[in-house]
């Protein structure tokens, strides 16, 4: 049985989030809060969950998911779409 990991990336202008220790087949979730009016693009290999982004007070909350193809998945690169 595997226990889920949590990793807080921080706040500010981060553009990528590294996966914590994981194994092939683990499901990753990436939550991103953004005040960007143009929104965020879906990182390569990730899927935006239905119902997202959610909006509240001018902020957007995105929730992405991905199943690990290996124990060495790369960082999820995040880009902003134009407003």
């Amino acid at each position: 049985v595997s226990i889920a990991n949590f990793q807080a990336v921080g706040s500010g202008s981060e553009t990528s989030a590294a996966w914590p220790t994981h194994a092939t087949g683990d499901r990753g979730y990436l939550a991103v809060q953004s005040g960007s009016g143009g929104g965020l693009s879906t990182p390569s290999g990730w899927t935006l969950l239905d119902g997202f982004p959610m909006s509240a007070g001018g902020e957007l909350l995105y929730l992405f998911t991905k199943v690990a193809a290996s124990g060495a998945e790369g960082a999820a690169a995040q880009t902003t779409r134009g407003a």
Side-chain angles (χ1 to χ4, degrees):
V1 174
S2 179
I3 298 175
N5 287 311
F6 171 79
Q7 178 179 11
V9 176
S11 61
S13 60
E14 288 84 6
T15 57
S16 67
W19 279 53
T21 302
H22 63 278
T24 301
D26 284 355
R27 181 168 297 276
Y29 290 95
L30 174 65
V32 181
Q33 178 184 354
S34 174
S36 171
L40 299 175
S41 296
T42 301
S44 179
W46 291 79
T47 300
L48 181 65
L49 292 177
D50 288 342
F52 289 89
M54 293 180 164
S55 177
E59 297 288 319
L60 296 172
L61 176 65
Y62 294 81
L63 186 58
F64 304 98
T65 188
K66 178 179 181 180
V67 175
S70 75
E73 293 288 331
Q78 195 65 65
T79 59
T80 304
R81 294 191 308 254

